[in-house]
Amino acid sequence: MPRGGNGHRDGKGASDQDDETGGIRTMRAFWFAAAAALLTCSALAQEREYRAFWAEGFNAGIHSREQIDRMIQRLTEAHCNGLWQQVRKRGDAHYRSTYEIWARENPQHFDALAYLLEKAHAASPKIHVHAWINTCAVGGDTRPGHILVEHPEYTSISDEGVAFDNEAMKIDPAHPGANDWTFRVYLDVARHYPVDGIHFDFVRYGHPRWGFNPVSVALFNQATGRTGKPAWDDPEFQQWRRDAVTALVRKVYAHTKAIAPDIAVSAATIAWGNGPGSYDEYLTSPPYCRVYQDWAGWMREGILDINCPMLYFSNTRYREFWLNWIAFAKDHKYDRQLVIGQGIWLNSIPDTLQQIQDSRAPSAKGNRADGILLYSYAGTNRAEDGSEQQYNPDLYRALSQPGPYGDPPFATPVEAPPLKPPSGGIVKGFVLTDPWLAPMVRAEVSLWDGRERRQTVTDVTGFYAFIDVPPGRYTLTISPKPFRDQTSQIIIAREGDVVTHHVFPGTASNRISYPWMVVAGNDRCDGVVYLWDAKTGQGRRVPVRPDTPLPFQPGDIVAVSYPGGGLPPVIRLIDISAQWGRRLPRPELAVTPAAKLHSPEWPTGRPVCMEGRVERLTPDGFMLRDGSGTVEVSGRYLKRDFRFSASPGERVRVRGVVDKESGLMVTPFDHQAVEELHDGG
């Protein structure tokens, strides 16, 4: 019997009338309270929140169109609005990458990310897709082109020289080459795909004794004035490694917001052991001290939009740990978003539903999460016999449909919440020196508004950034010892502004030239890049040094240094254009007649669009004829990498770059830059 009934009987008063009247008043109050509670629950159910799954790339999910169709159907029926899909597992790609090899599971080179985005964004409500990219953990693939096959010197090793840390082979983020490669992988996705987010995972070291890459140790000694090999538990060297991880996150975040501010940057963060009861306890916790991942610091600085702590705890065995971690995470959002990661493969379906309630509940301080992220789409629950269940329809159904597990947590579809708007701008740049454009590591950088001074240092690639800079005027001072300080005036006009300021101390002004935009990359142009400066209308064809680790691609902003002495020029990536890529369309180009290309107005490096018919094939491509003349179109890399072929008489549109240094020629931007046209259209 309900407690209210017992209470009424035990509390009868002087007369039946008084009791009846009191009972009526009590029942009215009860129903008013119940109605209010129902309205509150209904309102909460309608609030926008993330309801999402992590989906790994190892299991079935994105290996074919059929798998993607099935996954989107399941998520839609479960009333989910988000998917954190793994597209880089171990230095491979389930998308068309500029830098990395295709995943083994994808021998047909199916662009799974493109198809997934098409289907997910067409769902109702829209399913937001966050590209899950493993950051440091890349081991397990020995094919040519893999990052550790091409660059074993990027590997993180222990103080005893061991590479495998009982988890995975990893790159060391304190190695400049590893940092640059990984940074470019993230931005490659952000600039070419309409993703809703990019997602860090394994953005950390694997063990407190790892991180002794020789280049990292040498840079540490250079920055601190020390010699020899530090102890693994040396506090200064621990902070060096922690700073290296943070610097990579900051670099990706700042550049992502510069080219696509609507992309959410998130991270799967560590939550091992019992959750901390305070920030001071967090500073002794495993994420901070064991794997050098300061995710609370990232939230405070503002270099994550969404924190996705991996709170993988059995609800029956480690409920206290679970509750302590979710409370700490809710109380340390710093006006960013928090999506609670639940390890559903460890729990029964009822326990998963209980943890969803916990995730939604406010902390003791009244702070809430912004959604739920279930790990994983494939590993759905733990059965009564302790075995892991995969793709269990009961779990998907229990999320949205009433049944044996009671009322569903996702009873009504809702939209995902919008990103928090920026509370300030970003100031970023590189500090590079000498004819080789070498990064200046740990150069001091300060930002002063007349009242408050913010300070940072450059990372191992010479990069610095200030995040959430309020609108106003600032003095930016860079102290690149042993060179003199360089001071500039910076203005942040409004929230969301990004100001980029590079300095090149110690480099002769006549030896360096910047900024140039790459309009055709060296991986497609036989070892040269074509550069264009839209402000001056000048272009260049520059050979790339053979030891350059990664190709340059259209939209890269570079600096070029000429060391002299007959040495080839040095090209360094310093930014990325916000006007180039599949996500951010190339600048519109009017069709230009072939005859005009002979004029000085069309120098080497200038982007061009042409239409005409294939007159004949050449060893490297084909001759294109329009009504005014002919021009050769280079197609060597198209034939080599994409099996491109053209037939005489075909009508085509070509978008590319003019090259007059090899005879008059047009080099296509990429494999999508040659389109077959049908007569009349």
Side-chain angles (χ1 to χ4, degrees):
M1 182 174 290
R3 287 183 181 178
N6 288 332
H8 289 314
R9 284 198 302 272
D10 291 342
K12 274 195 177 184
S15 70
D16 290 342
Q17 179 66 35
D18 287 342
D19 180 62
E20 183 179 0
T21 306
I24 291 172
R25 283 198 297 266
T26 303
M27 289 302 292
R28 282 176 178 166
F30 170 80
W31 285 114
F32 275 120
L38 186 62
L39 287 171
T40 301
C41 291
S42 177
L44 285 174
Q46 297 299 320
E47 285 183 0
R48 297 174 72 169
E49 64 176 355
Y50 289 102
R51 301 170 177 176
F53 279 90
W54 271 299
E56 332 101 38
F58 292 99
N59 288 307
I62 60 164
H63 301 163
S64 68
R65 288 174 174 80
E66 293 74 22
Q67 289 182 13
I68 291 174
D69 290 344
R70 189 178 306 118
M71 180 164 59
I72 295 302
Q73 180 181 358
R74 283 171 172 162
L75 266 61
T76 300
E77 291 174 352
H79 295 168
C80 289
N81 56 29
L83 178 65
W84 270 250
Q85 176 62 59
Q86 190 176 42
V87 295
R88 186 208 201 208
K89 307 186 304 298
R90 49 192 175 194
D92 56 4
H94 286 273
Y95 59 94
R96 189 173 296 282
S97 172
T98 305
Y99 309 114
E100 304 208 290
I101 55 177
W102 286 96
R104 284 186 185 277
E105 299 86 350
N106 188 7
Q108 69 275 27
H109 297 180
F110 164 53
D111 193 337
L113 181 56
Y115 186 76
L116 173 63
L117 286 162
E118 175 190 339
K119 293 298 181 178
H121 287 175
S124 181
K126 171 186 172 180
I127 295 175
H128 289 233
V129 176
H130 296 249
W132 164 11
I133 296 170
N134 277 9
T135 311
C136 296
V138 296
D141 203 319
T142 58
R143 291 175 292 163
H146 185 269
I147 180 173
L148 290 186
V149 173
E150 300 300 319
H151 296 282
E153 70 275 14
Y154 293 172
T155 306
S156 177
I157 60 175
S158 74
D159 54 344
E160 297 178 344
V162 178
F164 184 65
D165 61 10
N166 294 322
E167 194 176 50
M169 294 268 287
K170 296 183 177 70
I171 57 99
D172 194 321
H175 188 295
N179 173 302
D180 183 58
W181 182 303
T182 308
F183 157 72
R184 293 205 206 185
V185 166
Y186 279 91
L187 270 293
D188 195 33
V189 172
R191 67 205 283 195
H192 292 306
Y193 289 88
V195 293
D196 302 286
I198 52 175
H199 183 60
F200 290 100
D201 191 17
F202 285 96
V203 57
R204 57 180 175 82
Y205 288 88
H207 189 279
R209 301 189 76 134
W210 264 251
F212 282 82
N213 181 284
V215 172
S216 171
V217 172
L219 289 172
F220 169 75
N221 285 337
Q222 174 187 316
T224 58
R226 294 168 56 170
T227 59
K229 185 167 71 173
W232 69 268
D233 57 353
D234 180 313
E236 199 170 12
F237 189 56
Q238 287 181 313
Q239 189 61 44
W240 168 265
R241 287 171 284 175
R242 194 176 295 118
D243 287 345
V245 177
T246 296
L248 179 57
V249 175
R250 182 185 299 119
K251 186 177 178 182
V252 170
Y253 183 88
H255 283 88
T256 299
K257 294 303 173 181
I259 66 168
D262 59 324
I263 290 181
V265 179
S266 65
T269 53
I270 292 297
W272 293 340
N274 200 354
S278 66
Y279 195 85
D280 285 343
E281 286 186 17
Y282 163 77
L283 297 179
T284 64
S285 69
Y288 191 86
C289 293
R290 182 174 174 80
V291 294
Y292 310 124
Q293 182 190 78
D294 181 14
W295 57 257
W298 302 347
M299 295 293 280
R300 182 169 54 187
E301 183 182 351
I303 55 177
L304 283 184
D305 293 309
I306 308 173
N307 182 25
C308 307
M310 297 177 287
L311 306 179
Y312 299 162
F313 295 102
S314 163
N315 196 53
T316 55
R317 296 180 61 195
Y318 297 106
R319 183 159 176 78
E320 180 185 1
F321 290 13
W322 153 260
L323 291 174
N324 287 339
W325 269 116
I326 61 173
F328 180 82
K330 290 173 184 177
D331 291 339
H332 293 83
K333 289 171 54 177
Y334 299 100
D335 203 32
R336 298 281 165 156
Q337 291 180 325
L338 168 69
V339 180
I340 300 292
Q342 296 182 203
I344 62 175
W345 95 98
L346 292 170
N347 288 291
S348 66
I349 293 176
D351 280 339
T352 287
L353 300 181
Q354 173 62 58
Q355 288 193 344
I356 290 176
Q357 290 185 33
D358 299 336
S359 295
R360 282 174 161 170
S363 70
K365 295 181 180 179
N367 299 309
R368 292 182 179 273
D370 299 277
I372 295 104
L373 182 52
L374 306 176
Y375 185 84
S376 70
Y377 167 68
T380 47
N381 65 289
R382 187 71 58 176
E384 290 184 4
D385 63 2
S387 62
E388 180 185 334
Q389 303 291 295
Q390 289 201 328
Y391 307 104
N392 185 351
D394 289 346
L395 180 278
Y396 306 128
R397 193 178 302 116
L399 294 175
S400 62
Q401 304 299 323
Y405 303 106
D407 293 335
F410 304 160
T412 306
V414 297
E415 297 282 348
L419 275 182
K420 292 289 183 72
S423 57
I426 294 173
V427 179
K428 66 178 178 67
F430 281 90
V431 183
L432 308 172
T433 188
D434 74 31
W436 307 107
L437 297 179
M440 297 207 71
V441 180
R442 290 282 174 131
E444 296 177 355
V445 186
S446 69
L447 200 61
W448 168 250
D449 65 356
R451 300 179 304 276
E452 181 181 0
R453 187 180 303 277
R454 295 178 61 174
Q455 293 181 303
T456 188
V457 294
T458 55
D459 69 8
V460 294
T461 66
F463 180 75
Y464 73 90
F466 295 98
I467 311 298
D468 281 348
V469 180
R473 293 178 175 271
Y474 295 86
T475 299
L476 177 70
T477 302
I478 299 175
S479 303
K481 296 178 181 178
F483 306 106
R484 62 181 178 83
D485 290 1
Q486 300 204 17
T487 301
S488 303
Q489 300 304 307
I490 297 294
I491 297 176
I492 297 292
R494 63 188 65 83
E495 287 87 355
D497 275 4
V498 179
V499 175
T500 300
H501 186 77
H502 310 297
V503 297
F504 303 90
T507 303
S509 59
N510 63 341
R511 284 187 170 180
I512 188 168
S513 180
Y514 77 98
W516 293 94
M517 185 171 74
V518 175
V519 289
N522 54 301
D523 58 332
R524 294 159 183 178
C525 304
D526 295 327
V528 301
V529 291
Y530 292 90
L531 308 178
W532 180 250
D533 182 352
K535 290 183 179 179
T536 64
Q538 298 297 312
R540 291 185 181 182
R541 180 181 187 271
V542 181
V544 177
R545 296 170 59 89
D547 58 353
T548 302
L550 286 171
F552 295 99
Q553 61 168 308
D556 286 350
I557 306 298
V558 299
V560 182
S561 176
Y562 296 87
L567 296 172
V570 178
I571 307 173
R572 178 79 67 177
L573 178 71
I574 58 172
D575 211 344
I576 292 170
S577 170
Q579 299 178 347
W580 206 280
R582 194 182 311 174
R583 175 188 176 84
L584 304 153
R586 303 180 183 91
E588 289 298 323
L589 298 172
V591 176
T592 300
K596 280 195 173 183
L597 299 188
H598 293 276
S599 75
E601 296 179 11
W602 292 89
T604 292
R606 180 169 178 175
V608 65
C609 178
M610 302 185 65
E611 291 182 4
R613 294 191 183 277
V614 177
E615 182 180 62
R616 59 183 173 84
L617 303 183
T618 66
D620 290 337
F622 58 89
M623 299 299 296
L624 179 72
R625 173 175 288 280
D626 62 12
S628 68
T630 60
V631 65
E632 184 175 2
V633 176
S634 173
R636 184 179 303 175
Y637 92 92
L638 295 175
K639 292 192 292 185
R640 181 191 68 215
D641 295 345
F642 298 97
R643 299 179 183 176
F644 171 82
S645 63
S647 301
E650 278 186 332
R651 187 162 172 260
V652 297
R653 177 185 294 124
V654 178
R655 302 204 312 164
V657 58
V658 175
D659 182 357
K660 290 186 174 178
E661 297 181 28
S662 303
L664 181 58
M665 181 182 294
V666 172
T667 298
F669 292 134
D670 55 34
H671 70 285
Q672 296 178 317
V674 180
E675 306 171 62
E676 182 180 357
L677 299 176
H678 299 286
D679 287 327

